[in-house]
Amino acid sequence: MDPEEGSKRARSADDSTDTVGLTAGWADIPRELLPVVLSRLPCPVDRLRFSVVNKKWHGFIKQHPPRLPPLLPSLVLPASPEHPLVHVTQGGNTRRLGLPPDIKQRASFCGSYEGGWFVLALDKPLENRLFNIFSGVSIPMPTTTMVDGDARYIRVEAAALSGSPVLDPPYNYTIGAIARIEGSELSGIALWDPSKEHWTGIDWDLIRSQSLDIHDVVYSNGSFYFLNSYENMERIGAHPNREGVPPRLEIYVEKDWEIYDEEHPENLTVQRYLVNLGGMEEDNPFLMVLKYQDEPTQPTSSVRVFRLSEVDEPDGPEYPEDVEPRLHWHELDPSSKSDHEFFLQAKLIFIGRGCSRIFNASDFEDLDDKFRTGVSIFFYDDRGVEDQECFLRGDMGRFTLPEAQVEPWPPVGSQAIGPRSRKFPPTGWIH
């Protein structure tokens, strides 16, 4: 679907008639009751449906956007055996999700952004695309990057956005991606400016020479941050500087093996995620979450959470104010006094490549009581375990701290969640 077709779909909501199967009484309810109705809809898809019930309801939202309760991420299951589904974290309901046929059949979900935006990679033929699950708007992205003067195909695996996409210039967003280049076994870093014809590959030769694998990407304060298999963080500006010089990749956190708290347990598979703390922490605004499996095909057995801390160097140099101090990963411990402040408020952490988020549980009124203590870490199945030409989807769950326990999540709601998916990853977060 190109942008024009997406716009037509979005405009169709404006042209909705008052005949959608509702009685005249529903259509004529007092306007002051509409915010009450909206406040009872925790599912973003239901809020979209509200806006297209009739012209009166759509006009109300357009002219007087109400202050709605915040939403937690919902779990999208794009390739169920029969139809796509969305599981709503608040309320625990599972609903059908309408998707265009080509996305339903060919797309993998590789990252998300507020307002219903997804980064998609489609197969046969290869496409990279932005898609808004609410409006139906699609924005095509390039499938090539230039290597030694030649165009090479590139497939997005995970991506983060610097801002909300728009169809027309001036463009106010850039995409930072983990991508796999044609003929390469390793993933690399690529940036796309919507005004450009190709992706810009960043230090592909260096990545190949060091055999690094890039695990996750987030955007924060003008830069993209990438986490690699050595648990180093690298930073690159999202835009060229004022002189038009392209951004360069630089080390932000380099793992110091002498002060690293603990080695990973032997023979365990590790998945690594970055979480942007946003307003919760100004100085070192990131968490690193590690998810372990006893074997690559086994379910998640444990989760560890780290935060950035300044390296304690009693005999080290004093850093000038314009020089950033050295940082290292420090594992959060509920029993430690130094980490007490982090655990004062119950937190909800949703992890996924290119789409992790963190929330304070106190900001939400309609939560299950079990989410209101400690730290809950929600994860979906991104192991890539194949079975009968599909990917298994059984490793979805919630890890709790301080209990250090894994429990199944989500519970089955109004629609059964199938154990397999035709696409990988078989799930993703919608924001």
Side-chain angles (χ1 to χ4, degrees), residues 329-369:
W329 292 114
H330 160 74
E331 184 170 9
L332 290 169
D333 181 357
S335 63
S336 171
K337 291 184 179 180
S338 62
D339 299 326
H340 176 70
E341 185 177 350
F342 181 85
F343 292 96
L344 277 177
Q345 291 192 61
K347 290 181 172 58
L348 309 170
I349 303 175
F350 297 78
I351 57 172
R353 299 181 82 194
C355 57
S356 298
R357 299 289 190 277
I358 183 171
F359 303 89
N360 286 320
S362 59
D363 293 337
F364 301 87
E365 297 180 356
D366 52 345
L367 281 181
D368 193 302
D369 288 342

Side-chain angles (χ1 to χ4, degrees), residues 253-256 259 284 308-314 316-317 319 325-329:
V253 177
E254 187 167 15
K255 186 173 179 178
D256 189 330
I259 63 173
N284 303 313
L308 285 178
S309 299
E310 294 184 10
V311 175
D312 185 12
E313 299 178 289
Y319 293 98
R326 284 206 306 142
L327 302 172
H328 76 114
W329 292 114

Side-chain angles (χ1 to χ4, degrees), residues 89-124:
T89 304
Q90 291 154 276
N93 295 315
T94 304
R95 311 286 181 82
R96 291 193 181 192
L97 177 65
L99 291 175
D102 61 337
I103 292 177
K104 180 178 177 181
Q105 297 166 10
R106 299 169 45 216
S108 296
F109 285 55
C110 306
S112 59
Y113 188 80
E114 287 86 351
W117 286 101
F118 277 99
V119 179
L120 306 179
L122 291 81
D123 297 316
K124 299 179 181 180

Side-chain angles (χ1 to χ4, degrees), residues 195-254:
S195 64
K196 305 299 182 183
E197 183 179 357
H198 303 282
W199 289 87
T200 300
I202 307 296
D203 292 346
W204 286 94
D205 293 337
L206 179 63
I207 292 170
R208 285 197 294 267
S209 66
Q210 295 184 350
S211 298
L212 292 177
D213 200 11
I214 314 299
H215 280 224
D216 203 6
V217 54
V218 297
Y219 172 82
S220 178
N221 295 325
S223 296
F224 292 105
Y225 294 80
F226 294 85
L227 179 69
N228 65 31
S229 53
Y230 288 173
E231 292 166 19
N232 297 336
M233 278 182 73
E234 296 176 296
R235 175 174 62 186
I236 187 168
H239 306 281
N241 64 18
R242 294 180 179 178
E243 289 73 34
V245 177
R248 295 184 61 83
L249 196 65
E250 61 181 4
I251 295 291
Y252 181 67
V253 177
E254 187 167 15

Side-chain angles (χ1 to χ4, degrees), residues 299-316:
T300 294
S301 57
S302 62
V303 176
R304 299 167 71 191
V305 182
F306 296 75
R307 73 184 307 169
L308 285 178
S309 299
E310 294 184 10
V311 175
D312 185 12
E313 299 178 289
D315 299 324

Side-chain angles (χ1 to χ4, degrees), residues 47 106 168 252 283 300 380 387 412:
R47 291 185 179 182
R106 299 169 45 216
D168 302 308
Y252 181 67
D283 293 334
T300 294
Y380 57 72
D387 180 65
V412 175

